[in-house]
Amino acid sequence: MGFNDVLKKSFVQSMADNMNFGGVLLSIGVACLIAVYIFAIYRIATKRTFYNKSFNISLVALAVITTAIILSIQSSVVISLGMVGALSIVRFRTAIKEPMDLVFLFWSISIGIICGVGLFEIAIVTSLLLTALILLLERLPVAKVSMMLVVDSDNIDGEEEILSVIEEYSSHIKVKSRNMNAHSLNMVIEVKVKEEAECIREVNGLKGINNVSLISQDGEVTF
């Protein structure tokens, strides 16, 4: 047995000796507790938007699985090299609908890694700090979200009159779409209306107007 073989055996043996059943249970147990905590925070943070229970459950599973992977990697150099090769070919095709979902995914994976190496204090402090930041920033007021006003008219020369009426009720106005033919005019206008019902009633009373619709949106805010 040469010097290199002795060195390799000693290195692998030292890694295996550092692993014990109690430590494994502790790492997975703490990861489970923090993962359930992430589950609750995701449920609270997304109560006003679309909530996906399957995605939320996957956050818990992801943290536990990542912890198990990190523990396995620590137990053997051979396994760690094989794991790196296996995970490098994994591709995720599911589209992320909300940017915050990506934050929770990375949070869950990070907790799995941190608990896997036994740094529980960092996992707990990081989770509490992230919770405070998310809930605090969520409560900060933002500008009013624009709405879409859809106008259908038979008067193809009535655009200026329509816009002048809308300007009286809106602090922001921008024509997003304009469709016109020989007999009709259809417009989609981005607006920030204070008196919504009164604005619609006023536009609807103009000559040639067939239909007026005011539609809310959850898109980006225009400042």
Side-chain angles (χ1 to χ4, degrees):
M1 181 180 294
F3 175 75
N4 291 334
D5 295 332
V6 173
L7 182 62
K8 290 176 182 177
K9 183 178 180 181
S10 176
F11 178 63
V12 173
Q13 186 65 39
S14 64
M15 294 183 67
D17 291 342
N18 291 330
M19 298 294 299
N20 58 76
F21 187 66
V24 171
L25 287 181
L26 180 62
S27 297
I28 294 179
V30 175
C32 285
L33 291 176
I34 299 179
V36 172
Y37 175 77
I38 296 174
F39 179 92
I41 296 301
Y42 181 80
R43 182 69 186 90
I44 295 172
T46 58
K47 63 183 180 181
R48 295 179 181 177
T49 58
F50 180 74
Y51 172 70
N52 189 334
K53 186 177 180 180
S54 298
F55 177 81
N56 203 359
I57 294 174
S58 69
L59 293 177
V60 179
L62 199 57
V64 178
I65 293 171
T66 305
T67 303
I69 291 174
I70 296 300
L71 289 172
S72 302
I73 288 175
Q74 292 180 80
S75 66
S76 170
V77 176
V78 178
I79 293 178
S80 65
L81 294 176
M83 196 77 74
V84 170
L87 294 178
S88 65
I89 63 174
V90 176
R91 296 290 184 271
F92 298 96
R93 300 294 185 186
T94 302
I96 302 298
K97 297 179 181 178
E98 291 286 337
M100 284 304 296
D101 288 351
L102 190 61
V103 173
F104 277 92
L105 270 177
F106 192 66
W107 183 4
S108 181
I109 295 172
S110 301
I111 291 302
I113 295 174
I114 296 171
C115 289
V117 296
L119 301 175
F120 307 126
E121 296 85 356
I122 295 178
I124 294 172
V125 171
T126 302
S127 296
L128 294 177
L129 183 61
L130 271 175
T131 302
L133 287 174
I134 291 173
L135 296 181
L136 179 64
L137 295 176
E138 180 71 20
R139 291 181 178 276
L140 288 180
V142 295
K144 185 178 181 180
V145 178
S146 301
M147 304 181 76
M148 292 297 172
L149 185 67
V150 182
V151 181
D152 182 27
S153 173
D154 289 337
N155 183 11
I156 59 175
D157 297 322
E159 177 175 341
E160 291 185 3
E161 189 177 14
I162 294 171
L163 295 180
S164 64
V165 171
I166 296 174
E167 285 176 350
E168 295 178 4
Y169 295 91
S170 177
S171 60
H172 168 77
I173 175 171
K174 182 178 182 181
V175 178
K176 304 291 286 188
S177 173
R178 183 186 293 105
N179 296 318
M180 183 186 299
N181 58 33
H183 306 288
S184 65
L185 169 67
N186 183 271
M187 299 174 65
V188 178
I189 308 166
E190 183 182 271
V191 295
K192 287 183 178 179
V193 183
K194 299 177 182 177
E195 303 174 14
E196 300 173 2
E198 188 64 27
C199 177
I200 294 176
R201 192 177 298 111
E202 190 80 17
V203 175
N204 201 33
L206 297 176
K207 178 184 176 182
I209 297 296
N210 293 324
N211 186 43
V212 181
S213 301
L214 188 61
I215 305 170
S216 64
Q217 59 168 347
D218 295 327
E220 298 178 352
V221 176
T222 302
F223 289 92

